[in-house]
Amino acid sequence: MNIIIWCVIVGVVSASVAVASCIIVRRIILKGRKDEIIRQAEIEAEKIKNDKIFQAKEKFLQLKEEHEKRVNEKNNAIRDAENRIRQKENSLNQQNSELGRKNKEAEAIRENLKAQLEVVSKKSEECDRLRAEAISQIENIAGMSAAQAKEQLIQNLKDEARTQAQSYINDVMDEARLTASKEAKRIVINTIQRTATETAIENAVSVFHIDNDEVKGRIIGREGRNIRALEAATGVEIVVDDTPDAIIISGFDPVRREVARLSLHQLVVDGRIHPARIEEVVTKVSKQLEDEIMETGKRTCIDLGIHGLGPELVRMVGRMKYRSSYGQNLLKHSREVANIASIMAAELGLNPKLAKRAGLLHDIGKVSEEEPELPHAIVGMKLAEKYKEKPEICNAIGAHHEEVEMTTTIAPIVMVADAISGARPGARREVIESYIKRLHDMESIATSYAGVTKAYAIQAGRELRVIVGADQVSDSDVEKMSAQIARQIQDEMTYPGQVKITVIREIRSVAIAK
């Protein structure tokens, strides 16, 4: 047992010795490796150090070389600048020398001129003395002073010039008297020949053509409702008779006839003809006609080469298309007057554009709705002044019927052009103008009453339809108004036959279902 224990102890001791030996040997080996690693690391570090030092030396040499190069460049630039400055200094020195030389020459010239001026002054004094002696001798010989002699000479020259001028004026006046009448006739004849326009006679009816007579029944409507609504909305008379494929639209106002004609066209094309639709179409056509009037005015100005006209004046020019003057279309008449005035102004050496503008606007007062009691020439002049037209044009408009005094050369030209245009054979008809004026006066009397919204003279002036507002005029007032209007027309107007006054009061109640 003890032997086993000892064997175990010996084994354990041997094992411990062996383990200790292994540890010692391992430490010795590791220490040797560590020293070797340290030695290799020191060698590698020395090598890296030497490389870095070599690189630093190369970098230093490179930077030094660049620095020296920049320094040399700056030194070269400084030397160049110094050379330029030195050259400028030399140039300035030369210029100073040249200026000094020129100053000396100028000083010498100044002294020379001074000496010459002294000589001239002495000679001038000598001349003045000699002139005074000569004048004194002449005065002694002539027996008058120099001022008296000068005054007498001027008076003689004035008398001679006055005599020659009077003779020249007399010759010119005699020649003008001989040639003025001939020259005026030549200008007027040439102007009329160069302005060849057709006669422009307006009438009081328009013809609306239809495809077949069946349309007439639809236009008339049940118990005449449609035709009455159309007449009430447009203020014209619709004549549906036996004339084949045609309906007559009668009315003195061309604008109303045109509205009625266009409305009939739209109603026939659309096919829906009843009172409500008629009123809607008439309202729409009236707005379209206003746009067409504006377009007509613009097109007229472009055709005549007139620019810068105010929009309201352009609209009035367009409205001339639907107005007449003694049966002559007002727009055609105004265009004709513009062309005639332009040609006459060119013949006389005046401004043709100004004359053309005044000729176009000379009857603008006839389409104005302001101040109807004034002559149309005065109304037109006020409108032209209102819309900033030139004073020459305003005077020509106001003076073309001698309502105001003529102050420009354009005014008589416009007056003559207006007379030429209206005096052509077939251009005007006095009867139509008086007829239209009578119808206008009838409507004006009716619209002057309170509560009247519309008034239409129809049946060639034999009937006056007056439409009043239901909220302003009662049923009992309607009879009184018709009697008052009839009495006023009877007292103030002259007319053939009799006039029927019809006052219409209508109540409408409109509600919208949503």
Side-chain angles (χ1 to χ4, degrees), residues 347-366:
E347 290 285 339
L348 294 172
L350 302 176
N351 189 341
K353 292 184 178 180
L354 204 63
K356 183 180 289 187
R357 194 182 188 99
L360 178 65
L361 299 177
H362 81 284
D363 271 347
I364 203 75
K366 289 186 177 181

Side-chain angles (χ1 to χ4, degrees), residues 88-106:
K88 289 183 179 179
E89 288 178 353
N90 294 333
S91 177
L92 290 174
N93 292 331
Q94 293 177 359
Q95 290 178 2
N96 288 332
S97 302
E98 184 69 19
L99 286 174
R101 183 180 63 79
K102 289 183 178 180
N103 286 333
K104 291 179 180 179
E105 293 178 356

Side-chain angles (χ1 to χ4, degrees), residues 421-453:
S421 175
R424 290 185 296 102
R428 293 186 171 184
R429 291 189 303 193
E430 301 287 337
V431 177
I432 290 182
E433 184 68 15
S434 61
Y435 158 72
I436 292 176
K437 186 177 184 303
R438 185 172 71 247
L439 300 185
H440 269 299
D441 293 341
M442 283 186 182
E443 292 184 353
S444 299
I445 289 174
T447 54
S448 65
Y449 285 82
V452 176
T453 58

Side-chain angles (χ1 to χ4, degrees), residues 202-206 248-253 257 429 432 435-436:
E202 292 288 333
N203 52 35
V205 297
S206 299
I248 306 300
I249 303 173
S250 176
F252 72 93
D253 192 333
R257 293 204 309 270
R429 291 189 303 193
I432 290 182
Y435 158 72
I436 292 176

Side-chain angles (χ1 to χ4, degrees), residues 136-390:
S136 178
Q137 293 176 3
I138 292 171
E139 288 178 352
N140 292 331
I141 294 171
M144 65 176 65
S145 64
Q148 293 174 347
K150 182 188 292 184
E151 184 177 354
Q152 185 175 356
L153 178 61
I154 292 173
Q155 186 63 36
N156 292 336
L157 290 175
K158 283 182 178 179
D159 294 339
E160 183 180 356
R162 189 179 293 109
T163 301
Q164 293 179 356
Q166 188 63 39
S167 177
Y168 178 75
I169 290 171
N170 292 334
D171 294 340
V172 171
M173 291 295 292
D174 292 339
E175 184 180 357
R177 290 190 186 98
L178 293 173
T179 59
S181 178
K182 182 179 178 180
E183 185 67 16
K185 290 178 181 178
R186 182 190 67 81
I187 291 175
V188 171
I189 292 171
N190 288 341
T191 302
I192 294 174
Q193 288 176 344
R194 291 167 62 181
T195 312
T197 58
E198 61 182 7
T199 58
I201 300 297
E202 292 288 333
N203 52 35
V205 297
S206 299
V207 180
F208 176 71
H209 297 281
I210 56 178
D211 295 335
N212 53 69
D213 290 341
E214 295 179 0
V215 180
K216 292 183 179 180
R218 296 169 56 196
I219 292 175
I220 295 173
R222 182 180 299 175
E223 299 178 357
R225 290 186 308 168
N226 293 343
I227 195 169
R228 284 199 302 271
L230 188 58
E231 288 179 345
T234 58
V236 300
E237 182 182 358
I238 310 296
V239 180
V240 182
D241 54 14
D242 295 336
T243 305
D245 300 333
I247 294 175
I248 306 300
I249 303 173
S250 176
F252 72 93
D253 192 333
V255 176
R256 296 180 190 171
R257 293 204 309 270
E258 185 67 11
V259 170
R261 188 185 67 82
L262 295 175
S263 300
L264 273 175
H265 176 72
Q266 290 196 15
L267 289 168
V268 171
V269 171
D270 183 54
R272 295 176 294 167
I273 305 177
H274 51 83
R277 177 64 178 166
I278 288 172
E279 292 181 359
E280 178 185 349
V281 170
V282 169
T283 303
K284 182 179 178 182
V285 168
S286 298
K287 294 180 181 179
Q288 292 175 351
L289 191 60
E290 283 296 324
D291 296 338
E292 183 180 346
I293 287 172
M294 195 69 182
E295 185 63 28
T296 300
K298 292 179 181 178
R299 188 165 57 251
T300 301
C301 294
I302 292 172
D303 292 342
L304 294 177
I306 296 174
H307 306 287
L309 209 62
E312 186 61 25
L313 291 179
V314 173
R315 188 180 70 83
M316 290 185 179
V317 170
R319 286 180 64 86
M320 288 182 182
K321 179 180 178 182
Y322 302 101
R323 290 290 183 271
S324 62
S325 176
Y326 296 100
Q328 185 181 22
N329 183 274
L330 192 57
L331 181 58
K332 292 181 180 179
H333 166 65
S334 297
R335 291 180 64 133
E336 186 175 326
V337 171
N339 290 324
I340 292 174
S342 174
I343 295 171
M344 296 181 71
E347 290 285 339
L348 294 172
L350 302 176
N351 189 341
K353 292 184 178 180
L354 204 63
K356 183 180 289 187
R357 194 182 188 99
L360 178 65
L361 299 177
H362 81 284
D363 271 347
I364 203 75
K366 289 186 177 181
V367 296
S368 173
E369 298 177 355
E370 302 176 0
E371 301 182 83
E373 68 278 0
L374 294 176
H376 73 274
I378 302 298
V379 175
M381 182 179 67
K382 289 185 177 181
L383 286 172
E385 292 173 349
K386 178 180 178 181
Y387 297 110
K388 311 300 182 184
E389 287 296 321
K390 293 182 178 180

Side-chain angles (χ1 to χ4, degrees), residues 87-140:
Q87 290 175 0
K88 289 183 179 179
E89 288 178 353
N90 294 333
S91 177
L92 290 174
N93 292 331
Q94 293 177 359
Q95 290 178 2
N96 288 332
S97 302
E98 184 69 19
L99 286 174
R101 183 180 63 79
K102 289 183 178 180
N103 286 333
K104 291 179 180 179
E105 293 178 356
E107 187 66 26
I109 292 171
R110 189 182 299 109
E111 294 295 332
N112 190 13
L113 289 174
K114 186 176 180 180
Q116 291 179 2
L117 286 174
E118 291 178 356
V119 174
V120 170
S121 177
K122 292 179 180 179
K123 290 183 178 180
S124 177
E125 292 176 357
E126 183 68 19
C127 288
D128 291 339
R129 187 181 61 79
L130 293 175
R131 185 182 298 107
E133 292 178 358
I135 291 172
S136 178
Q137 293 176 3
I138 292 171
E139 288 178 352
N140 292 331

